Amino acid sequence: VTWYELWQFDGSNVTMLTRDAASSNLDTVGTGTYTVNTGLSKTIISMQDFANTTFNGDWEVLKMNKEMMVILNNSNGGWVYREFVKE
């Protein structure tokens, strides 16, 4: 699997990492907190406390199962889309 970001969800905290291309070391992109709100038709992940405000806000869960999760956020006037696979 080729990936550009690794998001680690632990309790109410989330850490975003990237792999340095030259050294293969993991570099922290940001840390923050999250909560999950479920409704009849939508699941929303609310993220807060990131220095990069692109990641703050409400992310709609478009798809989630045991193998993958797809989320979407309209941040600062632009759409941010992330697709995750479970490792």
Side-chain angles (χ1 to χ4, degrees):
V1 173
T2 300
W3 54 270
Y4 300 100
E5 295 176 349
L6 171 66
W7 291 25
Q8 295 177 330
F9 294 89
D10 183 25
S12 63
N13 299 306
V14 61
T15 303
M16 297 175 189
L17 306 155
T18 59
R19 185 182 309 270
D20 181 270
S23 68
S24 294
N25 291 333
L26 295 176
D27 296 325
T28 300
V29 175
T31 58
T33 59
Y34 76 98
T35 57
V36 178
N37 300 302
T38 57
L40 294 175
S41 62
K42 288 184 185 179
T43 298
I44 302 293
I45 299 173
S46 297
M47 301 218 196
Q48 304 86 28
D49 305 323
F50 286 94
N52 181 345
T53 59
T54 299
F55 298 110
N56 291 325
D58 292 338
W59 293 73
E60 182 177 351
V61 177
L62 301 178
K63 181 175 183 175
M64 185 166 65
N65 58 38
K66 292 180 182 181
E67 298 174 3
M68 70 178 304
M69 178 173 69
V70 179
I71 59 176
L72 180 69
N73 180 7
N74 186 353
S75 176
N76 301 323
W79 293 99
V80 181
Y81 172 92
R82 291 295 186 267
E83 193 173 295
F84 303 92
V85 292
K86 187 174 182 179
E87 288 188 351

